[in-house]
Amino acid sequence: SQQGEEDPQALSIQEGENATMNCSYKTSINNLQWYRQNSGRGLVHLILIRSNEREKHSGRLRVTLDTSKKSSSLLITASRAADTASYFCATPRADGLTFGKGTHLIIQP
Amino acid sequence: EAEVAQSPRYKITEKSQAVAFWCDPISGHATLYWYRQILGQGPELLVQFQDESVVDDSQLPKDRFSAERLKGVDSTLKIQPAELGDSAMYLCASSRGSVQETQYFGPGTRLLVL
């Protein structure tokens, strides 16, 4: 079963705009991770935010975590064509990561 | 930069045939995972190894799937016999230690069963 659910399922924006995608999860967590997947490729780890952190930055990425609402958001600023990909949030459970269905992001030139 | 290696990258087979996928994790990573990803979905865990031992394979369809990591380094995932519904991307990932840590994924093996 899938723990996290991303929203929206698909997002199309113009290059240079900011992209925001959200993730909701069901059970308590120690951390939440965001991954990117380019079409037909493996997943690339973007950022890990721990349950005692509220916000974390990495380059053009900003992740927030609200454990009271069991939700997280990923903001990509100043989007580029190369950001076109699917983005997944993932939460650790005893045997591995549980992923949502992902947000498919398209950056229009 | 060290990467997780997987082969083959693509595999086409007929149903009822046997297929095998290979994964070589990042050197020094004790934990290895196999995930299956159906098109349009997120990855779903099949099996987790800690060194050569299976930690959890509760999601592995054991009537047809098997996985091993004999020397605690590289790993093989086998399907016998393959069914049409097995068509998916099979992803291998590794991490240094616990499941709480960042996982590093290989490029995946895309399987098509005809």
Side-chain angles (χ1 to χ4, degrees), chain A residues 37-54:
Chain A
Q37 185 177 37
N38 291 89
S39 180
R41 306 297 295 274
L43 279 76
V44 174
H45 178 259
L46 296 177
I47 200 163
L48 181 154
I49 185 166
R50 302 187 191 286
S51 60
N52 61 353
E53 297 176 308
R54 291 297 169 260

Side-chain angles (χ1 to χ4, degrees), chain A residues 4-8 19-25 29 31-37 43-50 54 56 58 61-66 70-76 85-92 97-105, chain B residues 101-103 105:
Chain A
E5 291 293 336
E6 293 87 349
D7 171 64
T20 299
M21 53 205 86
N22 303 295
C23 167
S24 60
Y25 58 92
I29 57 172
N31 68 63
L32 184 143
Q33 303 175 31
W34 283 91
Y35 288 81
R36 183 188 74 227
Q37 185 177 37
L43 279 76
V44 174
H45 178 259
L46 296 177
I47 200 163
L48 181 154
I49 185 166
R50 302 187 191 286
R54 291 297 169 260
K56 201 164 183 179
S58 177
L61 306 181
R62 172 177 165 257
V63 168
T64 63
L65 179 64
D66 187 335
K70 292 187 171 58
S71 67
S72 174
S73 68
L74 170 66
L75 168 67
I76 303 173
S86 292
Y87 292 82
F88 296 90
C89 66
T91 54
L97 291 173
T98 302
F99 290 85
K101 293 184 179 181
T103 291
H104 186 52
L105 175 65
Chain B
E101 298 180 26
T102 297
Q103 293 185 20
F105 283 79

